[in-house]
Amino acid sequence: MISLSRIGAIFKKELLQLKRDKMTFGMVIMIPLIQLLLFGFAINTNIRFIPVAVVDQSESALGRILTQTVSATQVVTFTESLKSIQAAEQAIADGHIKAALIIPADVSKRLVRHQTVGLKTPPSTEQELSRPIAHWIVDGSDTMIAAAIKGLRQMPMAELLNKNANRNTPTFEVTLFYNPEQRTAVNIVPGLVGVILTMTMIMFTSAAIVREQERGNMELLITTPIRPIELMVGKIVPYIFIGLIQVAIILGIGHYVFHVPINGGLDTLFAITLLFIAASLVLGLVISTIAKNQLQAMQMTVFVLLPSILLSGFMFPYEGMPKGAQYIAEALPATHFMRLVRAVVLKDNELAHLTDDIIWLSVFTLVGMLVASLRFKKTLD
């Protein structure tokens, strides 16, 4: 017969055990709290203030008014003023900006002959009437940002001329680079490399030290002359090869099945992948030196994975997040790798143009390895 008193005793014992396990109790509270904050504040599909540049070939008051009119939509924010289209294309390739507005030298002539304005004098040819006023060139590798810029294509001229939009002749011509067909796979597959490496590499190594403790191997390791840094390096080297195999599988299937172009050099791709794998493994080692058992290690891994996937730019554009979320994203290795792998795979960028993200991942790896080694000494004490 079921005894309520015995069930109550077990219930009380579980509560006491949960109360003593502060790490598990903290995760029970923090994981839903973090998800709520991320989805409530940080995740925003309504993208605003996309960093763009302007190339004003007209150098006229009309060009400045047109720039201000576009800026007033708050979809974009002009962060740079460039001298040539080639400079704008290079800035997009380097990732400094996401798009550039090219205002042609004859913008005033185009405006008065635009079908929206409807002026009959001077008489215009059909070709002149159908010309957009200006031209956007856009980094199309992120489909959500490309869609936001394309939304300006039919921008009403109400602010500038008190005229409505003309669907036959768009206000702006839009040219998409790197993903002109706006296929989702082109954006997702390179990013998926970062997500899978983050999940597997951190998960593999987060339980590395605590597993030795639980199996009783730590005492044996203490008696050997091995140094902490040697143990750390020895722990992560096998997983580097596993990570490289995973990358080859993802990109290989993405290229041959989903027709995702791989425009960059394989040696460059190999170098940045190796650096990111090292950073992820080191992060897992740090977790492993903090956790007291494998359950805690898995819980802490989830704690890191959530912001890494949601804030890295894989699912939602980095530019659409508030500043606070962007600061958190900058601290995560996945954010920097997303930029690197998309820049190499889709834009054929060279390492010399990616130094900021490379330096950050290198410093993160070195500092993480130092912290893991120091934490490992404390564990031995």
Side-chain angles (χ1 to χ4, degrees), residues 42-69:
I43 306 304
N44 183 9
T45 56
N46 184 20
I47 309 171
R48 301 171 78 85
F49 304 114
I50 301 169
V52 301
V54 60
V55 180
D56 189 355
Q57 296 173 327
S58 71
E59 297 182 348
S60 63
L62 179 59
R64 290 189 289 275
I65 293 172
L66 185 60
T67 304
Q68 292 170 1
T69 305

PDB file of all heavy atoms in Angstrom, residues 42-69:
ATOM      1  N   ALA A  42      16.720  40.818 -26.218  1.00  0.00           N
ATOM      2  CA  ALA A  42      17.829  40.783 -27.174  1.00  0.00           C
ATOM      3  C   ALA A  42      17.397  40.378 -28.577  1.00  0.00           C
ATOM      4  O   ALA A  42      17.909  40.900 -29.562  1.00  0.00           O
ATOM      5  CB  ALA A  42      18.914  39.821 -26.679  1.00  0.00           C
ATOM      6  N   ILE A  43      16.462  39.424 -28.692  1.00  0.00           N
ATOM      7  CA  ILE A  43      16.086  38.919 -30.003  1.00  0.00           C
ATOM      8  C   ILE A  43      15.074  39.853 -30.644  1.00  0.00           C
ATOM      9  O   ILE A  43      14.006  40.086 -30.102  1.00  0.00           O
ATOM     10  CB  ILE A  43      15.497  37.495 -29.893  1.00  0.00           C
ATOM     11  CG1 ILE A  43      16.480  36.586 -29.144  1.00  0.00           C
ATOM     12  CG2 ILE A  43      15.194  36.951 -31.274  1.00  0.00           C
ATOM     13  CD1 ILE A  43      17.860  36.528 -29.744  1.00  0.00           C
ATOM     14  N   ASN A  44      15.435  40.381 -31.784  1.00  0.00           N
ATOM     15  CA  ASN A  44      14.579  41.353 -32.452  1.00  0.00           C
ATOM     16  C   ASN A  44      14.688  41.153 -33.960  1.00  0.00           C
ATOM     17  O   ASN A  44      15.727  41.394 -34.559  1.00  0.00           O
ATOM     18  CB  ASN A  44      15.008  42.777 -32.071  1.00  0.00           C
ATOM     19  CG  ASN A  44      14.097  43.812 -32.680  1.00  0.00           C
ATOM     20  OD1 ASN A  44      13.053  43.486 -33.242  1.00  0.00           O
ATOM     21  ND2 ASN A  44      14.489  45.066 -32.575  1.00  0.00           N
ATOM     22  N   THR A  45      13.619  40.671 -34.574  1.00  0.00           N
ATOM     23  CA  THR A  45      13.640  40.437 -36.022  1.00  0.00           C
ATOM     24  C   THR A  45      13.297  41.698 -36.811  1.00  0.00           C
ATOM     25  O   THR A  45      13.425  41.714 -38.022  1.00  0.00           O
ATOM     26  CB  THR A  45      12.650  39.317 -36.398  1.00  0.00           C
ATOM     27  OG1 THR A  45      11.354  39.672 -35.909  1.00  0.00           O
ATOM     28  CG2 THR A  45      13.065  37.989 -35.778  1.00  0.00           C
ATOM     29  N   ASN A  46      12.826  42.732 -36.089  1.00  0.00           N
ATOM     30  CA  ASN A  46      12.557  44.014 -36.744  1.00  0.00           C
ATOM     31  C   ASN A  46      13.843  44.830 -36.723  1.00  0.00           C
ATOM     32  O   ASN A  46      14.123  45.577 -35.789  1.00  0.00           O
ATOM     33  CB  ASN A  46      11.433  44.748 -36.006  1.00  0.00           C
ATOM     34  CG  ASN A  46      11.046  46.030 -36.703  1.00  0.00           C
ATOM     35  OD1 ASN A  46      11.322  46.210 -37.890  1.00  0.00           O
ATOM     36  ND2 ASN A  46      10.420  46.929 -35.978  1.00  0.00           N
ATOM     37  N   ILE A  47      14.641  44.658 -37.769  1.00  0.00           N
ATOM     38  CA  ILE A  47      16.003  45.199 -37.751  1.00  0.00           C
ATOM     39  C   ILE A  47      15.991  46.708 -37.974  1.00  0.00           C
ATOM     40  O   ILE A  47      15.317  47.208 -38.869  1.00  0.00           O
ATOM     41  CB  ILE A  47      16.851  44.524 -38.830  1.00  0.00           C
ATOM     42  CG1 ILE A  47      16.730  43.018 -38.702  1.00  0.00           C
ATOM     43  CG2 ILE A  47      18.297  44.952 -38.736  1.00  0.00           C
ATOM     44  CD1 ILE A  47      17.343  42.291 -39.849  1.00  0.00           C
ATOM     45  N   ARG A  48      16.761  47.397 -37.167  1.00  0.00           N
ATOM     46  CA  ARG A  48      16.877  48.852 -37.292  1.00  0.00           C
ATOM     47  C   ARG A  48      18.348  49.248 -37.131  1.00  0.00           C
ATOM     48  O   ARG A  48      19.147  48.517 -36.570  1.00  0.00           O
ATOM     49  CB  ARG A  48      16.046  49.547 -36.205  1.00  0.00           C
ATOM     50  CG  ARG A  48      14.574  49.173 -36.266  1.00  0.00           C
ATOM     51  CD  ARG A  48      13.828  49.686 -35.061  1.00  0.00           C
ATOM     52  NE  ARG A  48      13.537  51.104 -35.151  1.00  0.00           N
ATOM     53  CZ  ARG A  48      12.483  51.605 -35.782  1.00  0.00           C
ATOM     54  NH1 ARG A  48      11.644  50.800 -36.381  1.00  0.00           N
ATOM     55  NH2 ARG A  48      12.255  52.890 -35.823  1.00  0.00           N
ATOM     56  N   PHE A  49      18.662  50.407 -37.630  1.00  0.00           N
ATOM     57  CA  PHE A  49      19.996  50.999 -37.496  1.00  0.00           C
ATOM     58  C   PHE A  49      21.095  50.087 -38.063  1.00  0.00           C
ATOM     59  O   PHE A  49      22.114  49.855 -37.416  1.00  0.00           O
ATOM     60  CB  PHE A  49      20.278  51.350 -36.037  1.00  0.00           C
ATOM     61  CG  PHE A  49      19.247  52.265 -35.437  1.00  0.00           C
ATOM     62  CD1 PHE A  49      18.424  51.824 -34.401  1.00  0.00           C
ATOM     63  CD2 PHE A  49      19.066  53.543 -35.923  1.00  0.00           C
ATOM     64  CE1 PHE A  49      17.466  52.656 -33.858  1.00  0.00           C
ATOM     65  CE2 PHE A  49      18.107  54.385 -35.386  1.00  0.00           C
ATOM     66  CZ  PHE A  49      17.298  53.942 -34.344  1.00  0.00           C
ATOM     67  N   ILE A  50      20.850  49.550 -39.245  1.00  0.00           N
ATOM     68  CA  ILE A  50      21.877  48.745 -39.929  1.00  0.00           C
ATOM     69  C   ILE A  50      23.015  49.680 -40.346  1.00  0.00           C
ATOM     70  O   ILE A  50      22.774  50.713 -40.992  1.00  0.00           O
ATOM     71  CB  ILE A  50      21.276  48.058 -41.178  1.00  0.00           C
ATOM     72  CG1 ILE A  50      20.109  47.150 -40.764  1.00  0.00           C
ATOM     73  CG2 ILE A  50      22.330  47.265 -41.927  1.00  0.00           C
ATOM     74  CD1 ILE A  50      19.302  46.649 -41.950  1.00  0.00           C
ATOM     75  N   PRO A  51      24.276  49.358 -40.022  1.00  0.00           N
ATOM     76  CA  PRO A  51      25.385  50.255 -40.393  1.00  0.00           C
ATOM     77  C   PRO A  51      25.628  50.245 -41.903  1.00  0.00           C
ATOM     78  O   PRO A  51      25.891  49.194 -42.486  1.00  0.00           O
ATOM     79  CB  PRO A  51      26.579  49.658 -39.629  1.00  0.00           C
ATOM     80  CG  PRO A  51      26.202  48.238 -39.387  1.00  0.00           C
ATOM     81  CD  PRO A  51      24.714  48.194 -39.249  1.00  0.00           C
ATOM     82  N   VAL A  52      25.525  51.409 -42.520  1.00  0.00           N
ATOM     83  CA  VAL A  52      25.717  51.530 -43.971  1.00  0.00           C
ATOM     84  C   VAL A  52      26.583  52.752 -44.261  1.00  0.00           C
ATOM     85  O   VAL A  52      26.827  53.583 -43.377  1.00  0.00           O
ATOM     86  CB  VAL A  52      24.364  51.667 -44.712  1.00  0.00           C
ATOM     87  CG1 VAL A  52      23.470  50.468 -44.455  1.00  0.00           C
ATOM     88  CG2 VAL A  52      23.650  52.956 -44.292  1.00  0.00           C
ATOM     89  N   ALA A  53      27.027  52.847 -45.507  1.00  0.00           N
ATOM     90  CA  ALA A  53      27.832  53.999 -45.943  1.00  0.00           C
ATOM     91  C   ALA A  53      27.112  54.694 -47.092  1.00  0.00           C
ATOM     92  O   ALA A  53      26.182  54.145 -47.688  1.00  0.00           O
ATOM     93  CB  ALA A  53      29.210  53.536 -46.393  1.00  0.00           C
ATOM     94  N   VAL A  54      27.551  55.903 -47.398  1.00  0.00           N
ATOM     95  CA  VAL A  54      27.000  56.625 -48.533  1.00  0.00           C
ATOM     96  C   VAL A  54      28.152  57.038 -49.455  1.00  0.00           C
ATOM     97  O   VAL A  54      29.226  57.432 -48.990  1.00  0.00           O
ATOM     98  CB  VAL A  54      26.196  57.868 -48.074  1.00  0.00           C
ATOM     99  CG1 VAL A  54      27.065  58.837 -47.297  1.00  0.00           C
ATOM    100  CG2 VAL A  54      25.554  58.568 -49.273  1.00  0.00           C
ATOM    101  N   VAL A  55      27.931  56.871 -50.739  1.00  0.00           N
ATOM    102  CA  VAL A  55      28.867  57.371 -51.757  1.00  0.00           C
ATOM    103  C   VAL A  55      28.085  58.416 -52.546  1.00  0.00           C
ATOM    104  O   VAL A  55      27.294  58.100 -53.436  1.00  0.00           O
ATOM    105  CB  VAL A  55      29.356  56.236 -52.672  1.00  0.00           C
ATOM    106  CG1 VAL A  55      30.326  56.784 -53.721  1.00  0.00           C
ATOM    107  CG2 VAL A  55      30.020  55.134 -51.861  1.00  0.00           C
ATOM    108  N   ASP A  56      28.289  59.678 -52.210  1.00  0.00           N
ATOM    109  CA  ASP A  56      27.529  60.774 -52.829  1.00  0.00           C
ATOM    110  C   ASP A  56      28.340  61.351 -53.980  1.00  0.00           C
ATOM    111  O   ASP A  56      29.191  62.226 -53.783  1.00  0.00           O
ATOM    112  CB  ASP A  56      27.209  61.846 -51.784  1.00  0.00           C
ATOM    113  CG  ASP A  56      26.234  62.882 -52.334  1.00  0.00           C
ATOM    114  OD1 ASP A  56      25.908  62.803 -53.536  1.00  0.00           O
ATOM    115  OD2 ASP A  56      25.805  63.760 -51.563  1.00  0.00           O
ATOM    116  N   GLN A  57      28.083  60.850 -55.179  1.00  0.00           N
ATOM    117  CA  GLN A  57      28.821  61.326 -56.348  1.00  0.00           C
ATOM    118  C   GLN A  57      28.313  62.683 -56.829  1.00  0.00           C
ATOM    119  O   GLN A  57      28.975  63.349 -57.612  1.00  0.00           O
ATOM    120  CB  GLN A  57      28.703  60.286 -57.479  1.00  0.00           C
ATOM    121  CG  GLN A  57      29.356  58.953 -57.134  1.00  0.00           C
ATOM    122  CD  GLN A  57      29.097  57.887 -58.182  1.00  0.00           C
ATOM    123  OE1 GLN A  57      28.039  57.864 -58.804  1.00  0.00           O
ATOM    124  NE2 GLN A  57      30.056  56.998 -58.359  1.00  0.00           N
ATOM    125  N   SER A  58      27.139  63.086 -56.348  1.00  0.00           N
ATOM    126  CA  SER A  58      26.584  64.379 -56.772  1.00  0.00           C
ATOM    127  C   SER A  58      27.151  65.534 -55.938  1.00  0.00           C
ATOM    128  O   SER A  58      27.285  66.658 -56.428  1.00  0.00           O
ATOM    129  CB  SER A  58      25.070  64.369 -56.633  1.00  0.00           C
ATOM    130  OG  SER A  58      24.685  64.384 -55.275  1.00  0.00           O
ATOM    131  N   GLU A  59      27.485  65.237 -54.681  1.00  0.00           N
ATOM    132  CA  GLU A  59      27.988  66.247 -53.742  1.00  0.00           C
ATOM    133  C   GLU A  59      27.081  67.477 -53.751  1.00  0.00           C
ATOM    134  O   GLU A  59      27.552  68.623 -53.793  1.00  0.00           O
ATOM    135  CB  GLU A  59      29.433  66.624 -54.061  1.00  0.00           C
ATOM    136  CG  GLU A  59      30.400  65.458 -53.916  1.00  0.00           C
ATOM    137  CD  GLU A  59      31.839  65.866 -54.184  1.00  0.00           C
ATOM    138  OE1 GLU A  59      32.038  66.983 -54.696  1.00  0.00           O
ATOM    139  OE2 GLU A  59      32.742  65.081 -53.868  1.00  0.00           O
ATOM    140  N   SER A  60      25.791  67.235 -53.737  1.00  0.00           N
ATOM    141  CA  SER A  60      24.816  68.323 -53.827  1.00  0.00           C
ATOM    142  C   SER A  60      23.944  68.350 -52.585  1.00  0.00           C
ATOM    143  O   SER A  60      23.941  67.406 -51.775  1.00  0.00           O
ATOM    144  CB  SER A  60      23.926  68.116 -55.060  1.00  0.00           C
ATOM    145  OG  SER A  60      23.188  66.910 -54.929  1.00  0.00           O
ATOM    146  N   ALA A  61      23.188  69.429 -52.447  1.00  0.00           N
ATOM    147  CA  ALA A  61      22.260  69.527 -51.322  1.00  0.00           C
ATOM    148  C   ALA A  61      21.184  68.452 -51.419  1.00  0.00           C
ATOM    149  O   ALA A  61      20.739  67.903 -50.414  1.00  0.00           O
ATOM    150  CB  ALA A  61      21.616  70.921 -51.316  1.00  0.00           C
ATOM    151  N   LEU A  62      20.782  68.132 -52.660  1.00  0.00           N
ATOM    152  CA  LEU A  62      19.773  67.097 -52.856  1.00  0.00           C
ATOM    153  C   LEU A  62      20.278  65.737 -52.356  1.00  0.00           C
ATOM    154  O   LEU A  62      19.528  64.965 -51.746  1.00  0.00           O
ATOM    155  CB  LEU A  62      19.396  67.017 -54.342  1.00  0.00           C
ATOM    156  CG  LEU A  62      18.351  65.958 -54.700  1.00  0.00           C
ATOM    157  CD1 LEU A  62      17.057  66.205 -53.932  1.00  0.00           C
ATOM    158  CD2 LEU A  62      18.088  65.953 -56.197  1.00  0.00           C
ATOM    159  N   GLY A  63      21.576  65.462 -52.606  1.00  0.00           N
ATOM    160  CA  GLY A  63      22.153  64.205 -52.113  1.00  0.00           C
ATOM    161  C   GLY A  63      22.110  64.125 -50.604  1.00  0.00           C
ATOM    162  O   GLY A  63      21.799  63.075 -50.027  1.00  0.00           O
ATOM    163  N   ARG A  64      22.425  65.239 -49.939  1.00  0.00           N
ATOM    164  CA  ARG A  64      22.402  65.259 -48.469  1.00  0.00           C
ATOM    165  C   ARG A  64      20.976  65.112 -47.944  1.00  0.00           C
ATOM    166  O   ARG A  64      20.743  64.418 -46.954  1.00  0.00           O
ATOM    167  CB  ARG A  64      23.050  66.547 -47.960  1.00  0.00           C
ATOM    168  CG  ARG A  64      24.563  66.599 -48.193  1.00  0.00           C
ATOM    169  CD  ARG A  64      25.187  67.793 -47.486  1.00  0.00           C
ATOM    170  NE  ARG A  64      24.832  69.050 -48.137  1.00  0.00           N
ATOM    171  CZ  ARG A  64      25.479  69.573 -49.178  1.00  0.00           C
ATOM    172  NH1 ARG A  64      26.504  68.936 -49.709  1.00  0.00           N
ATOM    173  NH2 ARG A  64      25.116  70.728 -49.712  1.00  0.00           N
ATOM    174  N   ILE A  65      20.033  65.751 -48.622  1.00  0.00           N
ATOM    175  CA  ILE A  65      18.628  65.635 -48.187  1.00  0.00           C
ATOM    176  C   ILE A  65      18.142  64.191 -48.360  1.00  0.00           C
ATOM    177  O   ILE A  65      17.448  63.650 -47.501  1.00  0.00           O
ATOM    178  CB  ILE A  65      17.740  66.612 -48.994  1.00  0.00           C
ATOM    179  CG1 ILE A  65      18.092  68.058 -48.638  1.00  0.00           C
ATOM    180  CG2 ILE A  65      16.266  66.347 -48.726  1.00  0.00           C
ATOM    181  CD1 ILE A  65      17.413  69.086 -49.527  1.00  0.00           C
ATOM    182  N   LEU A  66      18.548  63.578 -49.479  1.00  0.00           N
ATOM    183  CA  LEU A  66      18.148  62.186 -49.730  1.00  0.00           C
ATOM    184  C   LEU A  66      18.723  61.263 -48.647  1.00  0.00           C
ATOM    185  O   LEU A  66      18.031  60.366 -48.145  1.00  0.00           O
ATOM    186  CB  LEU A  66      18.645  61.764 -51.119  1.00  0.00           C
ATOM    187  CG  LEU A  66      18.216  60.378 -51.601  1.00  0.00           C
ATOM    188  CD1 LEU A  66      16.706  60.279 -51.671  1.00  0.00           C
ATOM    189  CD2 LEU A  66      18.836  60.081 -52.963  1.00  0.00           C
ATOM    190  N   THR A  67      19.973  61.491 -48.264  1.00  0.00           N
ATOM    191  CA  THR A  67      20.594  60.693 -47.205  1.00  0.00           C
ATOM    192  C   THR A  67      19.849  60.861 -45.886  1.00  0.00           C
ATOM    193  O   THR A  67      19.583  59.882 -45.174  1.00  0.00           O
ATOM    194  CB  THR A  67      22.067  61.114 -47.039  1.00  0.00           C
ATOM    195  OG1 THR A  67      22.738  60.986 -48.279  1.00  0.00           O
ATOM    196  CG2 THR A  67      22.761  60.252 -45.995  1.00  0.00           C
ATOM    197  N   GLN A  68      19.511  62.093 -45.556  1.00  0.00           N
ATOM    198  CA  GLN A  68      18.781  62.352 -44.309  1.00  0.00           C
ATOM    199  C   GLN A  68      17.393  61.711 -44.331  1.00  0.00           C
ATOM    200  O   GLN A  68      16.909  61.209 -43.326  1.00  0.00           O
ATOM    201  CB  GLN A  68      18.668  63.858 -44.082  1.00  0.00           C
ATOM    202  CG  GLN A  68      20.002  64.535 -43.779  1.00  0.00           C
ATOM    203  CD  GLN A  68      19.905  66.054 -43.791  1.00  0.00           C
ATOM    204  OE1 GLN A  68      18.829  66.612 -44.005  1.00  0.00           O
ATOM    205  NE2 GLN A  68      21.032  66.716 -43.570  1.00  0.00           N
ATOM    206  N   THR A  69      16.769  61.727 -45.524  1.00  0.00           N
ATOM    207  CA  THR A  69      15.434  61.137 -45.645  1.00  0.00           C
ATOM    208  C   THR A  69      15.484  59.633 -45.399  1.00  0.00           C
ATOM    209  O   THR A  69      14.645  59.070 -44.693  1.00  0.00           O
ATOM    210  CB  THR A  69      14.865  61.418 -47.050  1.00  0.00           C
ATOM    211  OG1 THR A  69      14.876  62.817 -47.291  1.00  0.00           O
ATOM    212  CG2 THR A  69      13.452  60.902 -47.162  1.00  0.00           C
TER     213      THR A  69
END
